[in-house]
């Protein structure tokens, strides 16, 4: 694998990220997402008909076939157009939501705007989520540039990613996080669509979620630890050892982050939570929902599936996860997503 030497360019960085996450082992080394610490109580008398299980749900005013989205990943370089088109076609077919990768490159020039706008063309009916990073938000003077990014893809929500760990390790990273919360508040007040605040694999704590909810954020994607390590990705991009290597496994495991953030639903009942970070099957989707998530997301496993096995392979994996979710619902006696959200789940270790 050859990484592009023009590291300062946003496009080549986005390309490197896809290459590295698909080809290299950038999972957390020791830490898991901690969903293995949570168990449903098996129901030997579910008293429901498997074929009547209804997994549909509403997200961003649109119906999904089950509570699932492909998390924000790519855009902003030539080959990203095909990836985003294929992701969008599969999401449209499966009736699940899709996020695009950081649209920072589209702020710099218009060379690759179509690598983003293709998603709406290929997926006219599903929820589409725009994306920008914390460092752009910290410097935000005028929210109209972000509104334009949202309009470019007719987004139903706009995600802001908080990635201090990645910026810390990235050679060209931006580590001035002053003003991010203020920028988020501006966007919450000015954008025509809801703001989603997400991490990218190090999780969101109760205190951070509270600050976000206090400024009006109503969608939080915990994007916790246990799946893709963004410290790992940036360490491999550097290609030489450094003091940052010790941070490979840094972060709050997804299940722990979800438990912390879901506490806030008591004070902010309209808060919508997305559970993501190392999700690899339908039982973890079911556990997330029972632990108060409204929607569940996954990134790297789905990208790998698309690149390695094409659209058919991605379609098959999503079908499997959907069937596994239904299987878990049958075995706990939950006929609907609402019933699953009210199903007991216990911490076992
Ligand atoms: C190739 C790739 C590129 C990504 N780029 C972005 C991005 O631009 N913006 C963002 O918010 N998250 C980005 N992410 C992070 C994911 O949205 C997700 O939060 C993270 O990878 C953890 O999920 P996972 O363990 O399922 O991969 C990217 C992930 C991958 C695999």
């Amino acid at each position: 694998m050859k990484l592009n030497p023009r590291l300062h360019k946003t496009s080549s960085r986005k390309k490197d990220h896809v290459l590295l996450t698909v080809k290299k082992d950038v999972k957390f080394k020791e830490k898991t997402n901690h969903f293995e610490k949570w168990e449903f109580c098996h129901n030997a008398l579910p008293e429901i008909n498997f074929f009547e299980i209804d997994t549909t749900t509403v997200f961003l005013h649109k119906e999904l076939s089950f509570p699932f989205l492909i998390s924000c990943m790519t855009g902003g370089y030539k080959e990203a157009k095909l990836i985003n088109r294929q992701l969008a076609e599969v999401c449209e077919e499966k009736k699940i939501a899709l996020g695009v990768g950081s649209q920072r490159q589209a702020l710099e020039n218009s060379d690759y705007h179509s690598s983003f706008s293709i998603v709406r063309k290929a997926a006219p009916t599903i929820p589409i989520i725009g994306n920008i990073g914390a460092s752009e938000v910290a410097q935000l003077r005028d929210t109209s540039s972000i509104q334009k990014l949202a309009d470019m893809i007719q987004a139903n929500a706009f995600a802001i990613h908080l990635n201090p760990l990645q910026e810390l390790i990235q050679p060209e990273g931006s580590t001035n996080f002053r003003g991010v919360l203020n920028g988020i508040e501006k966007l919450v007040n000015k954008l025509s669509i809801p703001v989603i605040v997400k991490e990218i694999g190090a999780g969101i704590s109760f205190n951070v979620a509270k600050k976000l909810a206090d400024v009006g954020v109503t969608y939080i994607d915990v994007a916790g630890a246990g799946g893709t390590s963004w410290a790992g990705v940036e360490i491999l991009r550097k290609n030489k050892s450094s003091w940052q290597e010790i941070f490979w496994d840094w972060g709050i495991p997804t299940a722990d982050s979800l438990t912390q953030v879901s506490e806030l639903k008591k004070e902010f009942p309209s808060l919508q939570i997305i559970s993501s970070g190392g999700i690899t099957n339908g039982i973890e989707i079911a556990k997330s929902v029972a632990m108060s998530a409204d929607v569940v997301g996954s990134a790297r496993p789905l990208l790998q599936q698309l690149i390695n096995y094409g659209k058919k392979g991605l379609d098959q994996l999503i079908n499997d996860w959907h069937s596994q979710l239904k299987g878990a619902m049958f075995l706990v006696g939950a006929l609907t997503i609402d019933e699953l959200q009210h199903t007991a789940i216990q911490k076992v270790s």
Side-chain angles (χ1 to χ4, degrees):
M1 181 182 47
K2 223 170 152 225
L3 297 185
N4 196 314
R6 289 155 55 237
L7 289 178
H8 61 285
K9 292 274 192 244
T10 311
S11 295
S12 56
R13 182 169 58 240
K14 291 305 286 178
K15 191 170 175 173
D16 291 352
H17 285 159
V18 166
L19 278 172
L20 277 165
T21 53
V22 171
K23 304 257 185 236
K24 297 277 180 180
D25 186 4
V26 290
K27 259 175 69 89
F28 277 69
K29 288 181 196 290
E30 306 288 336
K31 195 174 272 177
T32 68
N33 62 18
H34 280 185
F35 279 108
E36 75 282 3
K37 293 177 185 284
W38 291 82
E39 285 286 347
F40 285 112
C41 181
H42 170 65
N43 183 349
L45 197 58
E47 284 288 342
I48 59 171
N49 178 348
F50 177 82
F51 294 103
E52 287 172 8
I53 290 173
D54 177 4
T55 59
T56 60
T57 193
V58 173
F59 178 57
L60 296 167
H61 307 294
K62 288 176 182 267
E63 186 173 279
L64 304 184
S65 61
F66 70 112
F68 193 65
L69 63 83
I70 298 188
S71 305
C72 298
M73 283 189 276
T74 202
Y77 68 98
K78 188 164 170 261
E79 295 85 348
K81 186 171 177 180
L82 177 63
I83 297 175
N84 271 344
R85 178 166 65 74
Q86 292 186 325
L87 290 175
E89 284 168 355
V90 173
C91 288
E92 178 72 20
E93 152 90 20
K94 312 284 2 146
K95 290 279 170 253
I96 56 173
L98 171 66
V100 297
S102 169
Q103 291 172 267
R104 174 179 171 169
Q105 191 283 327
L107 287 175
E108 294 167 1
N109 59 57
S110 59
D111 292 357
Y112 304 112
H113 279 192
S114 65
S115 69
F116 297 106
S117 56
I118 188 71
V119 294
R120 184 48 91 194
K121 282 202 187 108
T125 70
I126 59 165
I128 300 275
I129 302 163
N131 191 284
I132 200 74
S135 52
E136 284 74 48
V137 170
Q139 295 154 15
L140 197 68
R141 293 234 162 76
D142 175 11
T143 54
S144 65
S145 55
I146 307 295
Q147 183 66 52
K148 277 189 198 137
L149 296 180
D151 294 344
M152 178 186 293
I153 55 171
Q154 294 164 52
N156 303 96
F158 205 85
I160 298 163
H161 64 264
L162 307 179
N163 61 341
L165 172 62
Q166 181 185 25
E167 299 286 1
L168 176 73
I169 310 241
Q170 204 172 78
E172 68 279 36
S174 156
T175 44
N176 184 356
F177 266 59
R178 282 188 198 280
V180 177
L181 189 60
N182 193 261
I184 291 172
E185 187 172 15
K186 272 191 208 158
L187 287 170
V188 167
N189 292 327
K190 291 280 169 62
L191 286 191
S192 62
I193 48 175
V195 165
I196 298 176
V197 178
K198 72 187 285 289
E199 238 287 346
I200 63 162
I204 290 190
S205 66
F206 175 87
N207 288 340
V208 168
K210 167 97 172 86
K211 284 183 186 163
L212 295 170
D214 280 338
V215 299
V217 173
T218 49
Y219 291 82
I220 295 178
D221 181 342
V222 300
T228 309
S229 163
W230 278 90
V233 175
E234 296 300 345
I235 288 163
L236 293 183
R237 256 184 88 223
K238 281 206 279 217
N239 242 340
K240 61 172 193 252
S241 63
S242 71
W243 57 268
Q244 291 110 324
E245 272 176 44
I246 198 170
F247 290 99
W248 190 293
D249 266 16
W250 179 276
I252 310 166
T254 301
D256 301 1
S257 181
L258 179 57
T259 328
Q260 291 189 35
V261 177
S262 64
E263 275 294 302
L264 268 183
K265 281 198 174 186
K266 291 177 195 151
E267 194 182 339
F268 299 92
S270 57
L271 182 68
Q272 297 266 299
I273 304 176
I274 300 161
S275 166
S276 75
I279 299 292
T280 53
N281 61 59
I283 295 181
E284 289 176 341
I285 297 174
K287 287 181 179 179
S288 294
V289 172
M291 291 165 71
S292 277
D294 297 282
V295 177
V296 184
S298 168
R300 179 171 174 255
L302 303 176
L303 179 68
Q304 284 184 313
Q305 188 76 6
L306 177 70
I307 305 285
N308 293 333
Y309 304 105
K311 269 172 53 180
K312 257 197 167 160
L314 177 59
D315 187 275
Q316 184 57 53
L317 186 67
I318 294 169
N319 280 348
D320 287 351
W321 290 10
H322 189 181
S323 302
Q324 290 161 358
L325 166 68
K326 272 194 203 160
M329 287 172 74
F330 180 60
L331 297 173
V332 298
L335 205 49
T336 63
I337 292 300
D338 186 55
E339 285 183 16
L340 182 60
Q341 263 192 326
H342 291 92
T343 298
I345 182 161
Q346 285 131 26
K347 198 159 189 195
V348 288
S349 63

